[in-house]
Amino acid sequence: MELIKIDTPYITLGQFLKRLNVISSGGQAKFFLQEEIVRINGEVETRRGRKVYPQDQVEISGLGIVMVVSE
């Protein structure tokens, strides 16, 4: 399991995907989420603005599980 550290209370799913280098711009998040299955804490998510908090587990098809932790 990979860990992503954030120094804010939350990060949006679009920013999270950019930080993982899954997409190169925020505009691509919408299209990525339409084509790929992304689960946050086991629930399928399609909103790029969804807030991801520390201790949330994000599962991306083809990449595995990434956990958000606070610094």
Side-chain angles (χ1 to χ4, degrees):
M1 179 183 317
E2 187 176 345
L3 300 176
I4 292 290
K5 293 182 181 181
I6 61 172
D7 58 0
T8 57
Y10 64 86
I11 186 171
T12 65
L13 184 54
Q15 292 170 333
F16 179 83
L17 294 172
K18 277 181 59 175
R19 191 177 260 186
L20 282 175
N21 293 320
V22 174
I23 58 173
S24 58
S25 72
Q28 292 178 327
K30 179 179 179 180
F31 302 107
F32 180 84
L33 292 170
Q34 288 175 348
E35 296 180 8
E36 302 293 333
I37 296 174
V38 176
R39 297 178 193 272
I40 298 179
N41 299 326
E43 296 182 20
V44 175
E45 186 55 67
T46 58
R47 300 171 294 164
R48 66 182 178 189
R50 162 74 189 263
K51 295 175 182 174
V52 183
Y53 295 93
Q55 304 307 313
D56 282 349
Q57 291 186 4
V58 181
E59 182 178 354
I60 303 170
S61 59
L63 278 179
I65 298 174
V66 181
M67 180 177 265
V68 179
V69 294
S70 59
E71 287 190 337

